[in-house]
Amino acid sequence: MKHITYILILLVGILTSCNGSSSKSHAEGGDTLALKYAKHISIIEHDGYTQVNLTDPWKEGRILHTYYLVPKGEKGDGVAEELSQKGESKLVEAASVVRTPVERSVVFTTVHASLIIELGAGKQITGVCDLNYMNIPWIHQQVQAGKIVDCGSGLDADVEKIIDSKPEMLLVSPFENSGGYGKLEEIGIPIIEAADYMETSALGRAEWMKFYGMLYGVGKHAKTLFDKVDNNYQTLKQKAINASIHRSIITEMKTGGVWYVPGGKSVISEMIKDAGGRYVYAANKDAGSLSYPFEKVLDDAGNADVWIYKYAEHPATLQEIYADYHGYGEMKAWKTAQVYGCDTEKSGYFEEASFHPERVLLDFIIMLHPELRLGYLRYYHKIK
């Protein structure tokens, strides 16, 4: 159940897009970097520092956190001191000064650890939480070698081990009504609230890599990577839209007595549309997950052409699916063997999907449009 809960949390990615036409636009007191898709973050360059505002995804009009990124060095010392004083007195309720590039950090999630490694800043990770959920061999090797500290559960981190790892920041994922970060807020280390998963489009979430790149001193690399992700996504999207066949699709399977499916405004629904598919619940107006009894899903999606789901170990065959619940045998996709599974423990889906939506999109297109012959599946596989 703990594993299932973790999966559900990671799947909360409900995402819409907005477009920017230039790389910078002038704003009072600084230059605002125009972001193409991300809605919950703004980046403003000032003389001597960069201001990053995170909007609260749960409370409209509220700032979740403001960060002042100040380059390390003598010139930045005075700027950092001045900003710290302003942040404590009158600028914003939640403000943190972060000296960049960050050379030591504790990372709480596998998805962010994977991105940091891809950006070439893996050695700047000195501690991790939820190690058991990090499907990254290099991280485990570094922990065994004593180069990265295992700081325990992300929900109840070992503060002493965090302090021993001497981090300059903590990279965590915030949740609605979490009640704050407890003792982590008392140790004086900047907490980076990585709320990218609450963005309203797949590319909006991925665009946060620009912020993370700035923190680790690899901002140019992050921008180049995002531009590549964006271009590949748009190219694949156009191929799918031009396809002659548009199949219907249903996702996931029931957990206990409930079948959780993505809402019509979720990132998954959006990506299915971009993949040229017809999502059964596309007309729904919710951005989060929907919970339905099996009978309703069977009525709504029993005739879906394609069925995809994620799993850990089982069910991995059509027979196991049927044995798990005989009602699945009524699904058209089960009868026609158009069922695809993603083994989350082996595929690397959770490590890569957030910042590489183009890879997930390609899988969707391959499953929905086999006639396009675009190659091999990366995360999913056809269930035998």
Side-chain angles (χ1 to χ4, degrees), residues 158-160 162-163 167 170 182-191:
D158 190 321
V159 175
E160 291 185 1
I162 287 178
I163 294 174
L170 312 178
K183 293 181 180 179
L184 294 179
E185 297 177 328
E186 301 174 4
I187 58 179
I189 300 171
I191 298 174

Side-chain angles (χ1 to χ4, degrees), residues 307-309 318 321 333-334 337-341 381-384:
W307 177 15
I308 67 174
Y309 70 97
L318 292 176
I321 290 174
W334 186 89
Q338 292 300 306
V339 185
Y340 295 83
H381 62 274
K382 195 169 187 179
I383 298 298
K384 299 179 179 180

Side-chain angles (χ1 to χ4, degrees), residues 258-264 279 281 284-292 297:
V258 178
W259 191 318
Y260 293 96
V261 295
Y279 179 46
Y281 293 106
N284 175 270
K285 303 299 182 182
D286 292 309
S289 294
L290 310 174
S291 56
Y292 293 137
V297 178

Side-chain angles (χ1 to χ4, degrees), residues 13-19 35-43 54 112 115 194-212 226 229-230 233-234 267 270-271 274 353-358:
I14 353 167
L15 317 165
T16 52
S17 42
C18 70
N19 292 317
L35 300 176
K36 289 183 70 176
Y37 308 99
K39 287 188 171 184
H40 294 300
I41 183 172
S42 64
I43 301 173
L54 309 186
H112 295 107
L115 173 67
D196 50 84
Y197 77 100
M198 286 300 296
E199 277 295 337
T200 49
S201 71
L203 289 170
R205 172 188 288 180
E207 196 167 20
W208 278 57
M209 69 171 70
K210 295 177 181 179
F211 171 41
Y212 303 136
F226 175 75
V229 168
D230 185 17
Y233 190 100
Q234 300 303 336
V267 62
E270 174 203 50
M271 293 182 72
D274 290 346
S354 290
F355 295 106
H356 280 287
E358 84 286 8

Side-chain angles (χ1 to χ4, degrees), residues 319-384:
Q319 288 74 21
E320 287 182 358
I321 290 174
Y322 183 76
D324 188 49
Y325 187 70
H326 284 8
Y328 290 138
E330 298 299 314
M331 305 285 289
K332 172 187 174 181
W334 186 89
K335 295 177 181 178
T336 59
Q338 292 300 306
V339 185
Y340 295 83
C342 170
D343 185 341
T344 58
E345 293 189 348
K346 297 179 180 179
S347 67
Y349 179 89
F350 286 143
E351 285 68 34
E352 300 176 6
S354 290
F355 295 106
H356 280 287
E358 84 286 8
R359 296 175 180 174
V360 181
L361 182 67
L362 178 57
D363 265 18
F364 283 4
I365 295 174
I366 292 173
M367 292 183 288
L368 289 164
H369 304 285
E371 71 279 2
L372 295 181
R373 300 180 181 276
L374 293 181
Y376 299 96
L377 294 168
R378 183 186 187 96
Y379 305 113
Y380 288 84
H381 62 274
K382 195 169 187 179
I383 298 298
K384 299 179 179 180

Side-chain angles (χ1 to χ4, degrees), residues 36-315:
K36 289 183 70 176
Y37 308 99
K39 287 188 171 184
H40 294 300
I41 183 172
S42 64
I43 301 173
I44 307 167
E45 290 187 342
H46 297 270
D47 184 20
Y49 68 96
T50 299
Q51 178 180 339
V52 180
N53 297 321
L54 309 186
T55 61
D56 193 323
W58 302 287
K59 295 180 181 179
E60 187 175 355
R62 178 181 179 273
I63 294 295
L64 179 68
H65 210 124
T66 291
Y67 299 97
Y68 301 108
L69 312 187
V70 182
K72 290 179 177 176
E74 292 184 8
K75 184 177 179 181
D77 292 344
V79 175
E81 182 178 354
E82 180 181 354
L83 289 171
S84 294
Q85 293 173 352
K86 288 183 178 179
E88 291 173 0
S89 60
K90 58 184 178 181
L91 274 180
V92 289
E93 181 179 347
S96 300
V97 174
V98 183
R99 302 302 299 272
T100 59
V102 171
E103 297 171 16
R104 301 179 65 84
S105 62
V106 173
V107 180
F108 279 54
T109 66
T110 184
V111 60
H112 295 107
S114 179
L115 173 67
I116 293 164
I117 293 169
E118 183 176 5
L119 291 176
K123 292 184 179 180
Q124 289 154 259
I125 300 175
T126 55
V128 296
C129 286
D130 291 323
L131 178 63
N132 292 338
Y133 294 123
M134 288 198 174
N135 186 23
I136 307 173
W138 183 82
I139 290 287
H140 289 266
Q141 293 168 5
Q142 297 302 298
V143 170
Q144 292 176 359
K147 296 181 179 180
I148 291 180
V149 178
D150 178 1
C151 298
S153 167
L155 297 177
D156 186 23
D158 190 321
V159 175
E160 291 185 1
K161 288 186 177 181
I162 287 178
I163 294 174
D164 288 343
S165 70
K166 300 177 181 179
E168 297 170 306
M169 74 174 188
L170 312 178
L171 189 60
V172 306
S173 285
F175 298 102
E176 185 177 15
N177 300 321
S178 65
Y181 302 98
K183 293 181 180 179
L184 294 179
E185 297 177 328
E186 301 174 4
I187 58 179
I189 300 171
I191 298 174
I192 306 300
E193 300 192 80
D196 50 84
Y197 77 100
M198 286 300 296
E199 277 295 337
T200 49
S201 71
L203 289 170
R205 172 188 288 180
E207 196 167 20
W208 278 57
M209 69 171 70
K210 295 177 181 179
F211 171 41
Y212 303 136
M214 290 178 175
L215 289 169
Y216 286 93
V218 288
K220 290 183 179 179
H221 187 177
K223 183 181 183 304
T224 299
L225 176 60
F226 175 75
D227 289 343
K228 182 178 179 181
V229 168
D230 185 17
N231 290 335
N232 289 342
Y233 190 100
Q234 300 303 336
T235 299
L236 289 168
K237 177 181 175 180
Q238 195 58 48
K239 289 182 179 180
I241 290 175
N242 293 334
S244 58
I245 302 174
H246 298 278
R247 295 175 174 85
S248 57
I249 185 171
I250 184 63
T251 72
E252 310 313 332
M253 54 175 43
K254 75 185 189 70
T255 300
V258 178
W259 191 318
Y260 293 96
V261 295
K265 296 299 181 182
S266 67
V267 62
I268 295 298
S269 178
E270 174 203 50
M271 293 182 72
I272 289 172
K273 179 181 178 181
D274 290 346
R278 293 184 290 110
Y279 179 46
V280 172
Y281 293 106
N284 175 270
K285 303 299 182 182
D286 292 309
S289 294
L290 310 174
S291 56
Y292 293 137
F294 173 81
E295 291 75 17
K296 175 171 174 54
V297 178
L298 180 62
D299 287 342
D300 296 339
N303 288 321
D305 299 312
V306 178
W307 177 15
I308 67 174
Y309 70 97
K310 300 175 190 67
Y311 70 96
E313 296 185 4
H314 299 286

